[in-house]
Amino acid sequence: MELWYTEQHTENVNFSIKVDKQLYSGKSDFQRIDIFDSKEFGRIMTLDGYLMLTEKDEFIYHEMITHVAMCVHPNVRKVLVIGGGDGGTVRELTKYDFIEAIDLVEIDEEVVDISKKYLSQTACKLDDPRVHCYFEDGLKYIRRVDDEYDIILVDSTDPFGPGEGLFTREFYGNCFKALHEDGIMVNQHESPFYEGDAYAMQRAHKRICQSFPISKVYQVHIPTYPSGHWLFGFASKKYHPVKDVNWDRWNSLGIKTRYYNTPLHAGSFALPTYVEEMLRDVES
Ligand code: SAM
């Protein structure tokens, strides 16, 4: 008998991965958590049936949510990660010796526990002494914070269920407030391709533009996400993500990556015409 994990990407499109076995299935206070083993993609984590990460392609997502902002900002000391309980974003941040503190605000402690148990590839740096975990709703946490962080990385689920509040105007406004005067926020920005994702992407862009003076979008290729074409938002108080970058400074750090590099960083802000048009439509 064959076992397949299937995610519905639209009413008319399904995406399936053959799995060897289900290693864990449980329900936390916030969501259902499942872990599978597969030949093609290694270990897989899904939340409420939606694919969050696979061992084979998670490096793309986690490098690109992290290193773009880290390359642009010249002086990072303190970083906030909202969501990201699998630890992949934290793992990328710990590659920088000069970061002094990494705060992880994850609503669901069970995601962290399950990731430590089954996803050692992503969770391997969650015990780094610079990492402080707060198990709380990011929407509530950020209300209390003023002028505290150099970078905020919003590594969230999609804009429904527990992740919904992380796509609101209130949240983006509070992220602006929580950042230093030259701070940068990067967020998981959904996909431009299928109608439902594109709507969420445009709505998020509109709201971020209302909160930050510089609001750009960059693209990545993530094979296991709907359509494979995914976006991140880059919102900044001061630095432009391509014009204000010292590429040599980042390259001299010797950070090891498999997807991210500085020419790709610059190129990822060059978007297809239909995506540019979608963004322009909501910018005014
Ligand atoms: N890093 C993953 C990847 O490779 O695509 C992405 C998703 S990560 C697992 C998303 C996390 O955001 C989940 O663990 C979820 O519990 C958390 N989350 C959702 N809503 C949240 C909220 N309001 N505050 C804090 N964390 C939240």
Side-chain angles (χ1 to χ4, degrees), residues 31 45 47 52-53 61-62 82-86 105-108 111 136-138 155-157 162-163 166 225:
Q31 53 213 341
M45 179 168 76
L47 296 179
M52 287 295 122
L53 67 87
Y61 178 100
H62 293 122
I82 297 186
D86 54 80
V105 177
E106 162 61 62
I107 201 168
D108 192 345
V111 173
E136 182 179 347
D137 186 338
D155 184 0
S156 66
T157 44
L166 306 183
Y225 277 15

Side-chain angles (χ1 to χ4, degrees), residues 28 30-31 45 47 51-54 57-59 61-62 65 81-89 105-109 111-112 115 122 134-140 155-158 160-166 171 188 222 225 232:
S28 72
F30 301 95
Q31 53 213 341
M45 179 168 76
L47 296 179
L51 191 143
M52 287 295 122
L53 67 87
T54 81
D57 67 354
E58 59 84 7
F59 71 101
Y61 178 100
H62 293 122
I65 198 174
V81 180
I82 297 186
D86 54 80
T89 300
V105 177
E106 162 61 62
I107 201 168
D108 192 345
E109 188 166 4
V111 173
V112 171
S115 299
T122 52
Y134 302 92
F135 297 110
E136 182 179 347
D137 186 338
L139 178 67
K140 293 192 181 140
D155 184 0
S156 66
T157 44
D158 295 320
F160 44 79
E164 199 172 348
L166 306 183
F171 175 72
Q188 181 292 89
I222 303 180
Y225 277 15
F232 287 108

Side-chain angles (χ1 to χ4, degrees), residues 185-198:
M185 177 188 84
V186 171
N187 67 304
Q188 181 292 89
H189 207 77
E190 300 292 304
S191 168
F193 194 73
Y194 294 126
E195 201 180 332
D197 300 328

